[in-house]
Amino acid sequence: MERMTLKSRAIAFAFCTGAVAFILALLATARSGIESGDFGHSLIIAIVCGVMCWASAERAIAGYAEAVDDSIERLARAADGDLSTPTPSRVATVLPDLATSLDGLLSQVRTNFDRVHSLAMFDPVTQLPNRTHFRREAAELLDALAPADLAALFFIDLDKFKSVNDNFGHAQGDQLLVKVADRLRAVSESGERLGFCQPPLIARLAGDEFTMLVPRLGCAEEAERIGDALLDALSEPYELLGIEVDVGASIGVALRPDQGQSLHELMRAADIAMYHAKANGRARVQLFTPSLAARMADHLRLETELRQAIESEQLAFFFQPQMCVATGAVIGAEAVLRWRHPALGLLTPDRFLPHAEKSGLIHEIGYWAVEEIAAALGRWERLGLTTRIAVNVSARQMGRPDFFAQVRHALLHHRASADLLELEINESIAMRCDESAIAGLKRLREQGATVAIDDFGSGYSNLSRLQDMPIDRVKIAGTLIADLATSEQTRAVVQSVIALVHGLGFGVAAEGVESSAQRTILEVAGCDYLQGAAIAAAMTETDFHAWIGERSSGLRRA
């Protein structure tokens, strides 16, 4: 049985009300009629009173009920998505307060929906379409094109946005993004000059990444002109807090139909081109080419293989001995990273660490390296070896706030003492490391570790800063050692460096010593420690232990 409407119930209620009124009137008039002797006349009066009461109740209650029914129907339509139809006039007439409330409620719901839509589809900082909005609109624009129609997709990445956030704060970083969006809009509005057949679609994808889709270009040369216009616009200085700031941008370009018909294909190609522009000096426009795709495929393959190498223990440390010139004893070994690639053989770090840096895998490799070195130190101590292990520390590792705590935890876990560990820090890193990193080095050094500056002479060193750092020795860059036997000028420079470092109170080591001539010159010049093929090549841990055992000079700590 269907549910009764309010009007039906109201009529039933009115009928009952009229019936009750009729009975009451009948009782009253019957008594009056009996007393007066005119019962028929009294009965007629009772009937009339009952009918009038019923009619009045039915009319009033049914009117309210119809208005309420109309309100319920209006809310049901709103639940189905109709938020614009006005409230029925009968509700406004019979129940004006309810009509006002309904109109206000639906208006607020419409406003809330508009806000939610804006947040879902537009970037709140620049008011440009966001990634979701762009994908939807761009896909529709591309689907509307004929198969042979030319379109261009531009990927735009700001070059120095992070420095703006670091130096000016995130609020000014947002202001810069607004200015960038305004310049992109200005380029899109110069349609006739750049050959736009219809307005381009601009969006902020994320962070400092923007994109522009230009449908229906006349020729590929127009895409190049647009790219140059974008680069010129974004290369102009920006004013933040009264200061001119240069940011610049790297732009990748993909063309339809050459690089694909779908948005996914174009975005992938433009992204590859943009990263190539960044890798080749930034502040440039790069059109996608098939050779870029092949190079990117090689990078992706190498990244995948490197991730597998970490998991399958293909990475390993080799150890190159360090000899004390004064005693001839091996006082340590530098741990050098190698990758036992299943197809390419033994790879040196320069073949894979740059890819690890770009992909973020460098953090996993760094964590693995700390554990491996600590484990090796524990094994060596248990074997009675007193040779220290020197290991290079990257800028990424030094920049992590938990790095030194991780080193201490690894040493404790593997029951290794810090006095057999030497950290080698590149000269350029040493010149710019912050106070927290210096404090971490000091604490490790207090626990027994030693610290060396690596590649000294390859860059610019502030000698007063070098003197204040917690270091024990300085390693002369291999680039200086390479010409030592053939260049008188190089010999003079190396001899001066050795004297200078000794004057600062540090020991001097030389790496890359490949010949007996180089070894002799360094010994005469007063170098304290030597490392290189003239002493011994890098070898596995097992081979290093065997090599140590064969030396008759014994081992003692420097």
Side-chain angles (χ1 to χ4, degrees):
M1 179 180 293
E2 294 185 0
R3 184 172 57 86
M4 294 177 63
T5 64
L6 280 176
K7 180 178 178 181
S8 301
R9 291 198 294 269
I11 293 173
F13 177 75
F15 176 78
C16 294
T17 303
V20 171
F22 169 71
I23 293 171
L24 291 175
L26 181 62
L27 291 174
T29 53
R31 179 179 178 183
S32 174
I34 291 172
E35 291 176 353
S36 65
D38 191 2
F39 180 76
H41 180 70
S42 298
L43 180 60
I44 293 172
I45 293 174
I47 292 171
V48 171
C49 288
V51 170
M52 291 179 66
C53 288
W54 176 83
S56 177
E58 190 276 339
R59 189 163 53 249
I61 296 176
Y64 284 113
E66 289 174 347
V68 173
D69 279 340
D70 288 348
S71 300
I72 293 173
E73 291 179 5
R74 178 66 193 91
L75 288 173
R77 290 197 301 273
D80 290 334
D82 179 7
L83 300 176
S84 57
T85 301
T87 302
S89 59
R90 180 160 45 193
V91 180
T93 301
V94 178
L95 299 170
D97 290 343
L98 178 59
T100 301
S101 298
L102 274 176
D103 288 337
L105 173 64
L106 296 179
S107 175
Q108 184 61 49
V109 171
R110 284 197 303 272
T111 300
N112 290 343
F113 269 117
D114 289 342
R115 289 176 180 172
V116 170
H117 180 267
S118 178
L119 289 173
M121 293 296 173
F122 290 89
D123 170 49
V125 176
T126 63
Q127 301 305 310
L128 290 174
N130 62 14
R131 180 184 292 270
T132 301
H133 189 176
F134 173 77
R135 285 181 177 274
R136 180 181 302 175
E137 295 291 327
E140 292 179 359
L141 286 172
L142 292 172
D143 289 343
L145 298 177
D149 285 345
L150 182 65
L153 181 67
F154 298 83
F155 257 30
I156 305 157
D157 189 90
L158 303 183
D159 288 334
K160 304 173 186 175
F161 180 68
K162 184 179 183 300
S163 65
V164 172
N165 273 340
D166 292 344
N167 296 324
F168 292 89
H170 289 277
Q172 290 302 311
D174 287 348
Q175 288 300 312
L176 175 65
L177 294 175
V178 172
K179 294 176 185 290
V180 169
D182 289 340
R183 294 189 184 184
L184 294 178
R185 291 188 185 99
V187 172
S188 72
E189 290 168 1
S190 55
E192 286 189 21
R193 182 172 61 86
L194 295 175
F196 295 147
C197 297
Q198 67 184 83
L201 176 63
I202 310 171
R204 180 189 175 199
L205 298 180
D208 59 348
E209 296 179 356
F210 296 81
T211 189
M212 176 186 286
L213 174 64
V214 182
R216 293 193 172 90
L217 284 175
C219 60
E221 287 72 18
E222 291 178 0
E224 295 181 24
R225 287 201 300 271
I226 295 169
D228 291 339
L230 290 170
L231 188 63
D232 290 343
L234 299 177
S235 296
E236 289 294 321
Y238 299 83
E239 184 174 318
L240 297 175
L241 299 177
I243 301 173
E244 283 194 351
V245 178
D246 289 317
V247 177
S250 299
I251 302 174
V253 189
L255 297 178
R256 176 197 186 274
D258 293 350
Q259 277 81 59
Q261 297 279 355
S262 69
L263 178 63
H264 174 75
E265 292 171 320
L266 294 177
M267 291 183 74
R268 180 178 178 276
D271 192 44
I272 291 172
M274 184 271 291
Y275 274 104
H276 184 75
K278 274 200 175 298
N280 285 270
R282 304 185 175 189
R284 56 180 294 176
V285 180
Q286 175 66 56
L287 270 69
F288 177 86
T289 63
S291 63
L292 291 183
R295 191 178 308 173
M296 183 60 67
D298 289 340
H299 290 175
L300 292 175
R301 176 184 52 77
L302 189 59
E303 179 182 335
T304 300
E305 292 177 347
L306 185 54
R307 192 179 300 277
Q308 293 171 349
I310 299 172
E311 297 170 354
S312 58
E313 300 182 352
Q314 294 174 12
L315 297 181
F317 276 113
F318 280 42
F319 298 88
Q320 186 168 41
Q322 296 175 336
M323 187 192 77
C324 175
V325 172
T327 64
V330 175
I331 49 85
E334 180 179 355
V336 291
L337 187 60
R338 296 291 185 265
W339 178 7
R340 293 189 177 99
H341 193 283
L344 302 178
L346 198 64
L347 301 182
T348 54
D350 59 295
R351 296 282 302 276
F352 59 88
L353 282 187
H355 300 287
E357 290 274 357
K358 292 179 182 177
S359 65
L361 286 174
I362 192 67
H363 295 302
E364 294 183 42
I365 294 176
Y367 182 85
W368 169 86
V370 168
E371 293 293 326
E372 285 293 306
I373 293 300
L377 284 170
R379 289 192 298 269
W380 290 22
E381 282 193 77
R382 287 188 288 277
L383 290 173
L385 295 177
T386 57
T387 48
R388 62 173 172 262
I389 298 179
V391 61
N392 279 282
V393 180
S394 70
R396 291 281 188 98
Q397 287 174 296
M398 288 284 289
R400 292 179 67 90
D402 62 342
F403 170 68
F404 293 102
Q406 181 195 347
V407 172
R408 289 191 295 272
H409 179 271
L411 291 173
L412 182 64
H413 176 72
H414 294 285
R415 293 180 294 167
S417 59
D419 59 356
L420 293 182
L421 173 66
E422 179 164 290
L423 299 181
E424 293 190 356
I425 304 168
N426 185 276
E427 178 187 27
S428 60
I429 299 173
M431 292 302 105
R432 64 173 187 267
C433 63
D434 58 24
E435 293 302 318
S436 63
I438 293 176
L441 288 173
K442 285 182 178 178
R443 185 174 175 185
L444 265 181
R445 193 163 175 261
E446 289 168 357
Q447 293 174 339
T450 54
V451 179
I453 300 298
D454 196 19
D455 285 333
F456 188 80
S458 61
Y460 171 77
S461 291
N462 184 320
L463 295 181
S464 62
R465 177 176 173 81
L466 193 66
Q467 192 171 17
D468 293 336
M469 290 194 66
I471 60 176
D472 298 277
R473 58 190 116 254
V474 172
K475 294 183 73 174
I476 301 174
T479 52
L480 287 177
I481 304 302
D483 298 331
L484 191 61
T486 57
S487 171
E488 184 177 345
Q489 183 179 11
T490 300
R491 288 194 292 273
V493 169
V494 170
Q495 190 164 7
S496 298
V497 168
I498 292 173
L500 175 64
V501 173
H502 280 160
L504 293 174
F506 308 132
V508 182
E511 61 182 346
V513 184
E514 305 294 323
S515 67
S516 58
Q518 292 171 340
R519 175 175 175 172
T520 300
I521 293 170
L522 288 167
E523 290 175 350
V524 171
C527 188
D528 302 303
Y529 310 100
L530 302 178
Q531 175 186 334
I535 310 301
M539 59 193 85
T540 66
E541 183 177 351
T542 302
D543 290 342
F544 178 77
H545 292 166
W547 183 84
I548 283 286
E550 293 172 358
R551 292 180 62 85
S552 59
S553 59
L555 301 173
R556 69 183 182 86
R557 186 77 184 275

